[in-house]
Amino acid sequence: MNQSRRSVLQGVLGAGAAGLLVGGAAPLPAARPRVVSKGTGLGLRWLGVAGWELSFAGRSVLFDPYLSRMPYAGADGGLDPALPLRLDADLVEHVAEKELSGAPELILVSHGHFDHLADVPQLLSRPGWSGERVRTLCDTTSRHLLGAMGTPAHRMADVVAVSGGDHLQFDGYSVEVFRSLHSRQQDYTSFAPGTRDAVPARPRTLGDLVEGQTLAFQVSVEGGPSVLLTGTSNVAERELAGVRPDVAVIGMSGYAAVHGYPDRLLAALGAPALLLPCHHDDMVTPLRDSGITGTVSSDAVTALTQAVERQGRGDTTRVLAPRHLELLDVTGGAAG
């Protein structure tokens, strides 16, 4: 095991880490972990649904920061694309002001659906971040949707359209982009498919925010760990063959119609030191609600743990059930 993976395991096994390790490890203390600041330590904060904040060396990167948690279900309990967008501006501002580490340098968007993209325009419009440069990496469809939702022109100038195969260098870290796939519903269809080749009319419904091209990202900190971020429960495993992240964030919403998931994903990735499930909460309970922890599906954690065991990697890979908005220090500030 390389040094960064050993640092990740030492970090999650150390006192003060959030969440619950499964797969043979003992429960960890529930104390709020310490904040990661300077150095090559890495902090991860689950924002609910597929959203995360990565903090390292005094900077921040956001992935799929969806905070509004608006109603999405129709009369049959399934996703209803005709429901109106009901963004929770107050909650978005509360989380940005009180819970995040500060203005992000990057916002990474996996695809255009409401539960990944919808709050990005408000975050990019925050007066509190007006003096900071914030770049957004996304596909062309998401870029057009951000423009349609009123993202300020100076922020749109920093929206970079990317596709699978891009590998971009930033100050002290890099971001690699992979082609990915969206999860499938029980009837094998996908929610709100489609692309946008130009800025459309302002989106009004959930279905107006179409998928576009789904992407995954790997953030690699120089002298520190690498984190693979996936926002959906599907995988184009040939795109990830040979990728060896230290930490993998794994989408664990409905995937019954997807063959061999998550085993195919883990086989492609080898043995990451740490797996973090996401997109396995109820998507609607407000983040400030005292009952938010109870909305997380334990089945997702169990399924991921069983996949690790089937792959014979229980000695090298651990699954951690994250808690909403708690900062997890995965390296204990250790050098990579």
Side-chain angles (χ1 to χ4, degrees), residues 285-295:
T285 301
L287 287 173
R288 286 180 286 184
D289 193 296
S290 61
I292 183 67
T293 300
T295 73

Side-chain angles (χ1 to χ4, degrees), residues 109-112 137-146 159-163 194-196 210-215 217:
V109 180
S110 67
H111 62 289
L137 304 187
C138 60
D139 82 317
T140 300
T141 290
S142 290
R143 189 180 195 281
H144 290 320
L145 292 172
L146 290 173
V159 177
V160 180
V162 295
S163 57
T195 59
R196 295 292 180 264
V210 297
E211 176 190 347
Q213 171 65 62
T214 293
L215 304 172
F217 299 89

